C-alpha cells in the first residue's frame, strides 16, 4: 500500500513529503560520504517527492563526476535527501530523517567504494 510520508533535517528548515510503499527495501552504502553518517538510502522517484521549503536553505556538494548532488541544510548540516548518481531519476532519502518511517523489508549492501561495479550489480538484480 502506498502512503504519504514526511521528513526533515535536524532544525526542520528542510522539510519534504514523499509517497512510498509501507514496507521498503533500503540501500546501505560504504562510500566515504555515506558510511560516516550511517546514511540508509530510500530511493524514491522524482515525481513522488516534493520539497516544502525554500531551496535556498540547501547547500550543494558535488565531487568526482559531479553527477550526484549532495544537498545539506546550510543551518544544521544534515543531509536528509539528495540526487544520487546511481538513480538519476530519483531522490535518495535518508531513512533516519523520516517521521514515522515505513517498515524495513530488507537492507541491501551497496559497495560504493567500487561504485561502477556496484551500480552494474544493482541493475542486474532488477
Amino acid at each position: 500500500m502506498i502512503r504519504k510520508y514526511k521528513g526533515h533535517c535536524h532544525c526542520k528548515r528542510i522539510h519534504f513529503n514523499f509517497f512510498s510503499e509501507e514496507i521498503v527495501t533500503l540501500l546501505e552504502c560504504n562510500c566515504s560520504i555515506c558510511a560516516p553518517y550511517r546514511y540508509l538510502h530510500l530511493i524514491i522517484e522524482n515525481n513522488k517527492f516534493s520539497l516544502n521549503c525554500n531551496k535556498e536553505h540547501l547547500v550543494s556538494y558535488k565531487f568526482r563526476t559531479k553527477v550526484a548532488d549532495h544537498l545539506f541544510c546550510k543551518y544544521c548540516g544534515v543531509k536528509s535527501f539528495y540526487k544520487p548518481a546511481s538513480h538519476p531519476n530519483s531522490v535518495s532519502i535518508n531513512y533516519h530523517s523520516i517521521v514515522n518511517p515505513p517498515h524495513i523489508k530488507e537492507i541491501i549492501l551497496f559497495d560504493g567504494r567500487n561504485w561502477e561495479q556496484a551500480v552494474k550489480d544493482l541493475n542486474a538484480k532488477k
Side-chain angles (χ1 to χ4, degrees), residues 2-6 16-20 50 52 99-100:
I2 303 261
R3 191 181 134 211
K4 185 177 183 179
Y5 292 92
K6 295 179 181 186
F16 52 88
N17 296 328
F18 65 95
F19 290 91
S20 172
S50 62
N52 301 323
V99 177
N100 298 316

Side-chain angles (χ1 to χ4, degrees), residues 14 20 45 59 63 78 95 125:
I14 304 301
S20 172
E45 295 172 5
V59 175
F63 64 99
V78 168
Y95 183 80
K125 291 180 182 180

Side-chain angles (χ1 to χ4, degrees), residues 102-116:
H103 298 285
I104 299 171
K105 174 184 177 182
E106 176 183 21
I107 298 176
I108 298 172
L109 300 179
F110 182 84
D111 186 9
R113 292 181 185 155
N114 299 293
W115 192 87
E116 290 81 8

Side-chain angles (χ1 to χ4, degrees), residues 16-67:
F16 52 88
N17 296 328
F18 65 95
F19 290 91
S20 172
E21 295 286 340
E22 293 181 337
I23 301 173
V24 296
T25 298
L26 305 176
L27 296 177
E28 182 177 1
C29 179
N30 65 356
C31 81
S32 61
I33 197 165
C34 294
Y37 295 101
R38 304 290 191 258
Y39 195 103
L40 286 177
H41 302 261
L42 174 57
I43 307 297
I44 299 295
E45 295 172 5
N46 286 335
N47 64 354
K48 295 180 181 177
F49 178 88
S50 62
L51 182 63
N52 301 323
C53 63
N54 188 335
K55 289 182 180 181
E56 293 180 14
H57 294 329
L58 291 167
V59 175
S60 173
Y61 172 67
K62 296 180 181 183
F63 64 99
R64 204 172 52 159
T65 64
K66 310 278 192 248
V67 174

Side-chain angles (χ1 to χ4, degrees), residues 73-97:
C73 173
K74 73 178 184 181
Y75 300 97
C76 68
V78 168
K79 180 172 88 168
S80 50
F81 72 94
Y82 79 106
K83 299 290 190 171
S86 60
H87 297 79
N89 298 314
S90 301
V91 174
S92 173
I93 298 171
N94 185 348
Y95 183 80
H96 300 298
S97 70

